[in-house]
Amino acid sequence: MNKQNRRQFLKLSITGGTVLLGGGLLSGCTLPPVMMNRPNMGAAQTSQPVTAATTGPIANTRFMPDLEIDLKATTGLAPILPGPKTSVWHYEASVVKGDSNSLIALPDNYLGPIIKARTGQKIRVNLINDLPSGEAHIVHWHGLHLPEDMDGHPRYAVAQGQRYVYEFEVKNRAGTYWFHPHTHERTAEQVMMGLAGLFIVSDAEDDALGLPSGEFDLPIIIQDRTFDSKNQFVYLARAGAGMGGMSGMSGMNMQSMMGFLGERILINGQLNVVLNAAARPYRLRLLNGSNSRIYKLGWSDGTPLTVLATDGGLLEKPVSRNFVMLAPGERIELWANFSRRKVGDELTLQSLAFEGVESMGAGGTGMGGMMSQGRSAPALGAPLTLMTVHITRQAETTSTLPAQLSKLNPLLLEDAINANNPRQFRLQMRGMNWLINGRGFEMDAVADDEQVKLGTTELWEFINELNPGEMMEQMGMAHPFHIHGVQFNVLERQVLPALKAGWDSVRDGFVDEGWKDTFLIMPGERVKVLMRFSDYTGKFVFHCHNLEHEDMGMMRNYEVQT
Ligand code: C2O
Ligand code: CU
Ligand code: CU
């Protein structure tokens, strides 16, 4: 990487909070706080259909938010490569009521703001769909425990020009959550076009640890994108690229089947990112916001990763791993201690090589090579450099890694109503579609085996089958599986002996010690998770977070009933 061309992380100080931003175009200028209170746009809320009395499109006058924000999904231009700007879709946000530091915008970036909230806070979000006409939209708060009409189920999507009002209390503990579109069959492309943001929750327990904060607490959102010669995003579904050797299958079908893989890595919406760091500890909050690419995170010099938190917040104590798997939708927080590094040192955050995510099954040669035909992007599992850390200054710090982070209070198997009889979900390919227990997504349908009872703890077992009898006979793929509405504990993983080799290249990177809302399940693997259905009845979705799989229907409702 040419030093002159490196984009620098830019520090954007916002009263105590600092966010790192890539962006050569921004270097040199000091940016003012971007989010300001602005007049309530209430007067403009005219043509909205009244479909719910207290929630949904219309605000509830009795709900008194601590924080109210306008969140507009709209079109824009982002300077990503030298030359023409890239047309993107993104979220613009502003604080209507409450602390203006609750929003950290990333200017000139397609990513949405970082929303900072506290446990117990009441939040109103006025979502405005200002996307191109025909583009319905709804936001899902990934990882948050919310009533079903606040969760962003695809059936609540609103048409262009309309709004949806969210009103909820933040019940989750401190953690790195996020938000993104959840429009039926449009999630993948809307995210790919740029719609996504972080939702960072803090609480007293987290505060008390004295972890690195301010400019030493940094988001790292990992995505992959492909650009055309005019610097525009290329999404293969639209390009319809043909697949060599797969006659009769369009590029679109193939992409849906395998998921979109981009040619280049972006960190926080920027290419070739360099973090100019001080020689001291950092708290890094990583999100895999990619449509389907899975990363095996590792430092270039083999330094182990120190993990502080998973999807649902802090671990009981820090754990050390030589590498960590991060599948789409998953988050991980790291303690990155650069204290012993010298000024001028450099290291990179890598995605290390791994195998077995696309599998032809027992005795097969692996699908990686075949499936990569016609794709110019690096194959899933190919090694990649994600970002560079460049130590630019000494630093004094008293920050030390706490031995104890939290008390986890995991669920207990003995409390499950089906401890010996897990509810099973088979992830399958049938008729060139990815399905769950033989079914694709239906907007309102809930099958008998998808109904659960409020106030119960259940054991669910996901089984990533191979597909005997199918045209793609033994084909298997890794699926990042996500369940709305809950945080769960991963209890157990098992793999078919024939597929153990691929699994062995990733298994030590699973951090199953903490609360999770998304987990990677490898071909031939079975994973048991324990969860509790509390507080809210209604229909919630669970789905593959490979967004192309989700859009093609690898999603179902489960319903919580009293
Ligand atoms: Cu992050 Cu239903 O998704
Ligand atoms: Cu979710
Ligand atoms: Cu999948």
Side-chain angles (χ1 to χ4, degrees):
M1 197 188 335
N2 176 332
K3 287 204 177 186
Q4 264 82 45
N5 288 344
R6 282 180 177 170
R7 286 161 187 262
Q8 305 293 310
F9 274 82
L10 184 82
K11 290 181 295 172
L12 171 61
S13 288
I14 299 176
T15 53
T18 298
V19 63
L20 84 174
L21 295 168
L25 293 164
L26 297 172
S27 2
C29 50
T30 303
L31 292 160
V34 182
M35 306 320 306
M36 296 293 179
N37 285 339
R38 69 181 165 102
N40 194 330
M41 294 173 62
Q45 305 174 26
T46 46
S47 60
Q48 307 318 316
V50 181
T51 62
T54 58
T55 55
I58 298 296
N60 175 1
T61 49
R62 280 164 311 188
F63 180 87
M64 299 296 285
D66 304 305
L67 173 66
E68 176 168 0
I69 61 185
D70 282 345
L71 187 69
K72 184 160 81 173
T74 189
T75 55
L77 291 169
I80 303 175
L81 286 155
K85 294 184 178 182
T86 306
S87 296
V88 299
W89 296 349
H90 66 153
Y91 292 111
E92 286 174 5
S94 57
V95 173
V96 176
K97 175 180 178 243
D99 184 354
S100 60
N101 300 312
S102 304
L103 286 182
I104 300 173
L106 294 99
D108 281 340
N109 195 298
Y110 62 81
L111 287 169
I114 297 170
I115 301 176
K116 295 174 80 178
R118 268 188 94 73
T119 305
Q121 239 182 3
K122 290 202 172 75
I123 298 185
R124 176 183 288 149
V125 178
N126 305 303
L127 174 68
I128 301 137
N129 178 358
D130 186 40
L131 294 174
S133 65
E135 205 64 46
H137 191 64
I138 194 74
V139 166
H140 165 57
W141 311 94
H142 183 128
L144 296 189
H145 177 54
L146 299 173
E148 68 131 47
D149 54 355
M150 297 294 112
D151 185 62
H153 190 287
R155 73 172 172 283
Y156 295 117
V158 294
Q160 192 260 349
Q162 305 208 321
R163 60 173 58 206
Y164 192 93
V165 179
Y166 297 85
E167 292 172 336
F168 57 81
E169 181 184 331
V170 177
K171 296 211 172 181
N172 292 67
R173 61 205 286 262
T176 304
Y177 306 93
W178 66 301
F179 60 96
H180 62 75
H182 224 295
T183 313
H184 184 41
E185 295 177 334
R186 298 295 299 151
T187 296
E189 189 161 355
Q190 290 187 4
V191 173
M192 207 283 315
M193 284 299 289
L195 292 160
L198 282 181
F199 192 101
I200 294 178
V201 177
S202 60
D203 64 13
E205 180 186 52
D206 191 284
D207 292 350
L209 291 172
L211 292 169
S213 62
E215 64 174 302
F216 308 110
D217 177 357
L218 302 176
I220 296 182
I221 302 169
I222 311 171
Q223 296 176 310
D224 56 341
R225 294 288 183 271
T226 296
F227 296 86
D228 68 13
S229 59
K230 300 192 177 78
N231 292 354
Q232 302 308 301
F233 288 146
V234 177
Y235 188 56
L236 289 177
R238 280 181 301 187
M243 296 299 298
M246 302 294 292
S247 55
M249 190 182 299
S250 71
M252 183 162 176
N253 283 344
M254 183 51 100
Q255 178 184 279
S256 298
M257 236 174 56
M258 307 309 293
F260 169 80
L261 294 176
E263 291 174 1
R264 307 192 61 179
I265 297 297
L266 290 90
I267 299 291
N268 298 341
Q270 299 289 338
L271 294 159
N272 303 330
V273 162
V274 178
L275 167 61
N276 286 327
R280 55 154 286 152
Y282 280 74
R283 179 181 194 168
L284 304 179
R285 301 172 185 262
L286 290 88
L287 159 67
N288 183 349
S290 310
N291 281 33
S292 87
R293 188 178 286 283
I294 299 161
Y295 305 97
K296 177 177 174 175
L297 305 171
W299 292 115
S300 48
D301 64 355
T303 304
L305 301 165
T306 302
V307 183
L308 298 172
T310 53
D311 302 335
L314 292 166
L315 301 174
E316 187 121 356
K317 35 176 86 78
V319 305
S320 176
R321 292 291 157 86
N322 289 330
F323 58 87
V324 167
M325 297 306 297
L326 199 69
E330 287 186 303
R331 289 87 65 211
I332 199 102
E333 292 183 29
L334 300 178
W335 168 272
N337 191 356
F338 307 128
S339 296
R340 286 203 210 117
R341 312 245 170 209
K342 293 187 202 52
V343 171
D345 277 4
E346 215 169 75
L347 76 161
T348 59
L349 183 65
Q350 302 276 343
S351 183
L352 309 170
F354 56 96
E355 292 159 32
V357 276
E358 296 172 347
S359 159
M360 285 298 278
T365 53
M367 299 200 66
M370 183 174 81
M371 287 305 174
S372 295
Q373 280 185 44
R375 292 198 223 172
S376 42
L380 205 48
L384 300 164
T385 293
L386 305 179
M387 62 177 256
T388 301
V389 178
H390 185 208
I391 307 300
T392 56
R393 59 195 194 278
Q394 297 294 341
E396 306 249 312
T397 172
T398 52
S399 220
T400 52
L401 179 64
Q404 178 85 22
L405 297 168
S406 181
K407 185 90 195 76
L408 272 193
N409 303 315
L411 297 168
L412 299 174
L413 183 58
E414 67 219 48
D415 292 338
I417 56 169
N418 62 342
N420 298 314
N421 181 29
R423 197 183 278 266
Q424 293 186 322
F425 294 98
R426 291 172 195 278
L427 312 182
Q428 310 151 316
M429 172 172 283
R430 295 280 183 272
M432 306 309 284
N433 280 307
W434 292 108
L435 304 172
I436 301 169
N437 278 354
R439 308 177 188 108
F441 185 59
E442 301 165 87
M443 191 65 86
D444 293 299
V446 182
D448 286 349
D449 57 354
E450 295 162 338
Q451 292 173 0
V452 302
K453 214 166 157 11
L454 184 69
T456 58
T457 299
E458 284 209 19
L459 182 64
W460 287 17
E461 181 175 33
F462 292 86
I463 302 165
N464 192 356
E465 287 195 324
L466 298 182
N467 299 278
E470 276 296 298
M471 169 184 149
M472 305 288 292
E473 187 114 358
Q474 293 284 295
M475 184 170 142
M477 262 198 85
H479 301 285
F481 211 86
H482 173 49
I483 307 172
H484 283 217
V486 290
Q487 290 287 333
F488 49 77
N489 303 127
V490 176
L491 288 198
E492 187 185 304
R493 293 173 177 270
Q494 284 171 31
V495 73
L496 295 176
L499 293 175
K500 192 161 176 302
W503 191 66
D504 280 341
S505 74
V506 302
R507 60 180 295 197
D508 292 340
F510 295 135
V511 185
D512 291 336
E513 284 88 341
W515 289 98
K516 297 285 294 169
D517 56 50
T518 308
F519 62 95
L520 185 64
I521 177 167
M522 292 288 285
E525 192 177 21
R526 308 175 154 238
V527 182
K528 285 185 186 160
V529 303
L530 193 57
M531 69 196 97
R532 183 166 179 82
F533 306 100
S534 53
D535 304 315
Y536 309 122
T537 57
K539 291 175 191 169
F540 297 86
V541 291
F542 59 114
H543 60 88
C544 180
H545 219 288
N546 176 319
L547 297 181
E548 284 72 32
H549 291 183
E550 173 184 343
D551 276 354
M552 81 188 288
M554 196 177 194
M555 172 158 75
R556 291 290 299 174
N557 289 303
Y558 72 89
E559 184 168 18
V560 185
Q561 292 163 314
T562 51

